[in-house]
C-alpha cells in the first residue's frame, strides 16, 4: 500500500450517537509513499452545544466553535478532498459512521472504504489487555502531544502505523491487513473467528461486552443473516452503534424452529437482564380485569389468576393497577359506560358522568344492567385473554426442517413448563407450578392459533 493514498483521520464529536450527535473537529492526513502530501484540519460548528463532560475530555468548548464553519459549509469541498481514498482510523466504524451521517444531512452519499487500526491491533498484539489508542501508543513508545484533539491523534495514528511496518514482518503485516479488510463490517472488539460457525438456522444469539456483561439477546429463523445484519446498520441506528462499540463475544443456540427461538429468547432476557433488551425483561406483578359469570362489573385481579381456569372472562394484561384502571376508564368514556357500575367510582344513584351526558344511565335505571354488561364486555373484547382450550397440559411438537432437530414443549394454561428433544423426555420433566408470563402468553397464543401454518402438532394430555 506504499503508493496507494491513505487518509489517516480522526474526529471529535459532541457524543457517541452518530445519528444525533455532531462532529466538532476533523483532522485528516493524506499519505502517499510514506509522506504527508496534504492535510485537512478544521474545527466544525455543530449547531448544538458541547456537553460539559465532552469539553473536559477534548478541551473543545462552545466559545472555540463560535466562528467555525458548519459541516454543511465544508461538505462539498471535504467530499472532493477525501475522494474515494481509503480512510485509516482507530475504531473506524465510529469515525465513518459520523462522516456518513454528516454527509447525508448535507445531501451527499459517502461510503468510504476503511481500515480499522483497532482491529489490526487486536490481531498484531493479542497479548495486550487493552487496544485503545492511548494504550497502544504507550506500548510502542509512539509520542502524542495532546490526546483527544483530532490532529494530534491522527498524527499519532500515523506514527503507530509506521511502527508496525518497521517491527512486523511482511507476511504477518499483509495477513493482518487482508483479515481486517475481509471482516471490515464486524465490530472492532469482536474476533472474526467467533462467527465462523454461525448457521443459517433458527435459534437465539447472545451478545456480550467486557467481562461477559450481557448486552443483548435476540432470535431469528436465520441466525447468520440476523447476527451479521446487526453490523450493517450501525451508522443508521444508535442502538446498533452502541452494540458495535461494546460487543466482544457472541454465543448462539440453534433451535427446532421459530417458536423455540422466541420462547428461549424471552427466557434468557428475563434470566440475564441484558442492558439493551427492554421489551422482554422480567415483568413485575401483572394485573387483569376478571369478569365473573353473572357479575355486573369486573374485578381487578393479580397475575396469579392468569394461569388458572376461571368461570369468567379475563381482559387485558397490565403492569400496574393504575394502568389497568386508566385503560378501563378510557373505554368507559369512549363507550358511554357507567364508571360507578364498573367500580371505578363510589356512590349511589346518578353518577357525575351521566350528568355530563357521558353515561347512558345504568346507574339510574335508564339502561338495564344486562344491556350495560353486554356493552361493557363488547368494549373490552379487544383486550380479552384467550381461554385455555384444553382441560390440562399439552405437548406442542415443533420441527421446522425435515432434517433438523425437534422440540417437545410442555404447556399448561398458557404457562411454559419446559422443552425436551423427545416426547418421553418432555413427559418426564420435573416442572414447578406454572407461572403466567405476559410475553410467553403472547408468543404461545400466536403460534397455537395458527398451529398448522407454523407446522406444529398439539397433543392434549388430559
Amino acid at each position: 500500500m506504499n503508493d496507494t493514498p491513505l487518509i489517516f483521520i480522526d474526529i471529535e464529536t459532541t457524543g457517541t450517537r452518530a445519528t444525533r450527535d455532531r462532529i466538532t473537529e476533523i483532522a485528516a492526513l493524506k499519505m502517499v509513499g510514506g509522506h504527508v502530501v496534504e492535510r485537512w484540519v478544521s474545527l466544525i460548528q455543530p449547531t448544538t452545544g458541547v456537553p460539559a463532560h465532552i469539553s473536559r475530555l477534548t478541551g473543545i468548548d462552545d466559545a472555540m466553535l463560535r466562528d467555525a464553519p458548519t459541516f454543511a459549509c465544508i461538505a462539498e469541498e471535504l467530499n472532493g478532498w477525501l475522494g474515494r481514498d481509503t480512510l485509516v482510523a482507530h475504531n473506524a466504524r465510529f469515525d465513518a459512521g459520523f462522516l456518513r451521517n454528516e454527509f447525508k444531512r448535507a445531501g451527499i452519499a459517502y461510503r468510504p472504504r476503511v481500515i480499522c487500526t483497532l482491529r489490526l491491533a487486536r490481531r498484531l498484539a493479542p497479548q495486550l489487555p487493552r487496544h485503545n489508542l492511548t494504550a497502544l501508543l504507550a506500548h510502542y513508545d509512539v509520542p502524542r502531544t495532546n490526546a483527544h484533539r483530532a490532529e494530534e491523534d491522527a498524527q499519532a495514528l500515523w506514527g503507530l502505523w509506521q511502527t508496525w511496518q518497521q517491527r512486523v514482518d511482511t507476511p504477518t503485516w499483509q495477513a493482518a491487513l487482508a483479515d481486517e479488510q475481509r471482516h471490515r463490517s464486524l465490530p472492532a472488539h469482536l474476533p472474526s473467528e467467533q462467527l465462523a460457525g454461525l448457521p443459517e438456522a433458527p435459534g437465539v444469539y447472545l451478545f456480550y461486552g467486557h467481562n461477559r456483561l450481557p448486552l443483548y439477546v435476540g432470535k431469528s429463523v436465520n441466525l447468520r443473516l440476523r447476527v451479521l445484519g446487526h453490523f450493517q446498520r450501525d451508522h443508521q441506528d444508535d442502538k446498533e452503534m452502541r452494540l458495535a462499540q461494546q460487543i466482544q463475544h457472541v454465543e448462539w443456540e440453534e433451535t427446532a424452529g421459530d417458536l423455540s427461538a422466541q420462547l428461549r429468547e424471552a427466557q434468557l432476557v428475563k434470566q440475564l437482564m441484558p442492558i439493551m433488551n427492554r421489551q422482554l425483561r422480567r415483568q413485575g406483578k401483572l394485573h387483569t380485569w376478571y369478569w365473573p359469570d353473572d357479575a355486573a362489573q369486573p374485578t381487578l385481579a393479580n397475575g396469579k389468576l392468569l394461569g388458572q381456569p376461571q368461570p369468567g372472562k379475563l381482559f387485558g394484561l397490565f403492569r400496574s393497577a393504575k394502568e389497568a384502571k386508566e385503560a378501563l376508564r378510557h373505554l368507559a368514556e369512549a363507550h358511554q359506560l357507567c364508571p360507578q357500575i364498573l367500580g371505578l367510582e363510589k356512590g349511589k344513584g346518578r353518577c357525575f358522568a351521566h350528568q355530563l351526558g357521558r353515561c347512558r344511565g345504568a346507574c339510574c335505571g335508564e339502561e338495564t344492567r344486562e344491556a350495560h354488561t353486554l356493552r361493557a364486555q363488547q368494549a373490552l373484547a379487544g383486550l380479552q385473554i384467550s381461554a385455555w382450550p384444553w382441560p390440562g397440559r399439552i405437548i406442542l411438537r415443533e420441527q421446522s426442517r425435515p432434517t433438523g432437530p425437534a422440540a417437545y414443549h410442555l404447556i399448561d394454561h398458557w404457562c411454559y413448563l419446559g422443552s425436551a428433544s423427545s416426547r418421553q423426555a418432555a413427559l418426564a420433566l420435573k416442572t414447578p407450578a406454572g407461572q403466567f408470563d405476559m410475553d410467553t402468553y403472547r408468543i404461545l397464543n400466536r403460534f397455537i392459533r395458527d398451529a398448522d401454518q407454523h407446522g406444529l402438532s398439539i397433543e392434549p394430555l388430559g
Side-chain angles (χ1 to χ4, degrees):
M1 286 193 173
N2 285 342
D3 296 326
T4 303
L6 294 176
I7 296 177
F8 287 76
I9 194 166
D10 186 76
I11 64 172
E12 302 301 332
T13 67
T14 60
T16 60
R17 302 164 300 181
T19 60
R20 287 182 283 178
D21 292 315
R22 310 301 288 266
I23 292 175
T24 58
E25 186 177 35
I26 298 175
L29 312 178
K30 186 173 292 188
M31 305 290 179
V32 178
H35 301 284
V36 179
V37 295
E38 292 182 76
R39 65 177 64 216
W40 177 291
V41 180
S42 178
L43 290 169
I44 304 294
Q45 167 57 250
T47 69
T48 185
V50 180
H53 70 281
I54 297 293
S55 291
R56 288 193 296 270
L57 179 69
T58 64
I60 299 173
D61 56 27
D62 293 336
M64 290 175 60
L65 301 174
R66 188 170 295 119
D67 298 323
T70 64
F71 193 92
C73 292
I74 56 96
E76 188 172 346
E77 183 182 355
L78 178 60
N79 184 50
W81 189 88
L82 294 172
R84 293 296 171 260
D85 293 339
T86 299
L87 302 185
V88 181
H90 204 68
N91 198 2
R93 296 171 73 89
F94 179 88
D95 300 74
F98 268 88
L99 286 170
R100 288 182 69 167
N101 277 284
E102 290 282 19
F103 276 118
K104 183 179 179 179
R105 294 184 192 104
I108 298 172
Y110 181 66
R111 294 179 177 83
R113 177 184 170 124
V114 299
I115 294 175
C116 180
T117 52
L118 177 53
R119 289 192 62 84
L120 280 176
R122 290 179 61 86
R123 171 133 188 165
L124 295 172
Q127 78 283 2
L128 296 181
R130 292 182 298 276
H131 294 88
N132 58 64
L133 186 59
T134 298
L136 290 170
L137 296 178
H139 176 74
Y140 289 106
D141 295 321
V142 177
R144 178 171 61 170
T145 56
N146 193 1
H148 302 297
R149 288 302 303 270
E151 186 172 14
E152 285 80 358
D153 282 354
Q155 191 70 47
L157 191 62
W158 166 235
L160 176 64
W161 183 276
Q162 290 178 302
T163 300
W164 276 337
Q165 290 191 312
Q166 294 167 4
R167 299 189 186 183
V168 178
D169 61 84
T170 300
T172 300
W173 175 248
Q174 294 298 333
L177 282 175
D179 182 72
E180 198 285 328
Q181 286 299 285
R182 191 163 50 248
H183 301 104
R184 61 182 179 271
S185 66
L186 298 185
H189 295 286
L190 182 65
S192 56
E193 54 269 19
Q194 283 195 21
L195 305 181
L198 263 174
E200 295 183 352
V204 294
Y205 56 93
L206 303 91
F207 291 163
Y208 295 91
H210 182 62
N211 288 333
R212 290 299 180 94
L213 172 70
L215 298 176
Y216 185 76
V217 174
K219 50 81 183 170
S220 178
V221 294
N222 187 319
L223 283 169
R224 185 167 190 83
L225 284 179
R226 183 69 184 100
V227 170
L228 296 180
H230 275 285
F231 312 137
Q232 306 298 325
R233 297 183 292 110
D234 57 341
H235 66 284
Q236 300 172 325
D237 187 290
D238 291 335
K239 179 180 176 181
E240 301 292 7
M241 173 61 82
R242 293 198 305 274
L243 272 175
Q245 296 298 318
Q246 297 182 51
I247 183 172
Q248 297 189 15
H249 184 76
V250 175
E251 293 178 359
W252 64 85
E253 299 176 17
E254 191 173 340
T255 64
D258 192 18
L259 172 59
S260 296
Q262 293 196 33
L263 289 172
R264 183 62 173 148
E265 177 195 33
Q267 187 180 53
L268 286 171
V269 169
K270 290 173 176 63
Q271 175 186 331
L272 299 175
M273 297 291 285
I275 62 176
M276 294 187 187
N277 285 93
R278 297 182 183 273
Q279 295 299 319
L280 296 174
R281 286 194 176 198
R282 187 180 301 278
Q283 305 293 342
K285 292 182 179 180
L286 293 174
H287 294 76
T288 185
W289 286 109
Y290 171 48
W291 202 313
D293 293 339
D294 301 325
Q297 66 185 95
T299 301
L300 189 59
N302 64 34
K304 293 181 180 179
L305 199 68
L306 295 164
Q308 305 167 7
Q310 299 296 333
K313 298 177 181 178
L314 300 171
F315 297 98
L317 295 169
F318 307 99
R319 293 177 175 83
S320 68
K322 180 181 178 182
E323 182 181 320
K325 290 177 181 179
E326 287 178 350
L328 186 57
R329 194 180 303 278
H330 176 76
L331 286 173
E333 293 174 355
H335 296 271
Q336 293 184 301
L337 300 170
C338 180
Q340 189 172 286
I341 298 298
L342 291 176
L344 293 171
E345 294 179 4
K346 294 181 179 180
K348 293 182 179 180
R350 199 161 73 127
C351 71
F352 184 63
H354 183 266
Q355 299 176 41
L356 298 176
R358 298 174 183 173
C359 164
R360 295 187 186 178
C363 51
C364 56
E366 294 182 9
E367 181 182 31
T368 66
R369 294 292 179 94
E370 292 77 11
H372 182 272
T373 296
L374 178 61
R375 287 198 309 111
Q377 291 194 359
Q378 288 175 342
L380 283 163
L383 299 177
Q384 184 171 352
I385 298 173
S386 300
W388 182 245
W390 300 277
R393 300 182 303 167
I394 66 169
I395 285 182
L396 201 57
R397 184 183 183 276
E398 178 184 28
Q399 187 176 24
S400 62
R401 295 165 294 149
T403 59
Y408 294 77
H409 309 295
L410 190 62
I411 317 292
D412 187 12
H413 287 87
W414 302 117
C415 298
Y416 172 55
L417 303 181
S419 300
S421 59
S422 70
R423 180 182 183 277
Q424 292 76 15
L427 289 172
L429 286 172
K430 295 182 180 179
T431 58
Q435 183 176 359
F436 187 91
D437 175 79
M438 184 193 315
D439 302 306
T440 301
Y441 162 75
R442 288 172 174 164
I443 293 167
L444 291 172
N445 191 35
R446 186 169 62 252
F447 277 87
I448 288 175
R449 186 177 61 239
D450 302 313
D452 291 340
Q453 178 182 332
H454 294 291
L456 305 170
S457 62
I458 300 173
E459 179 191 352
L461 298 177

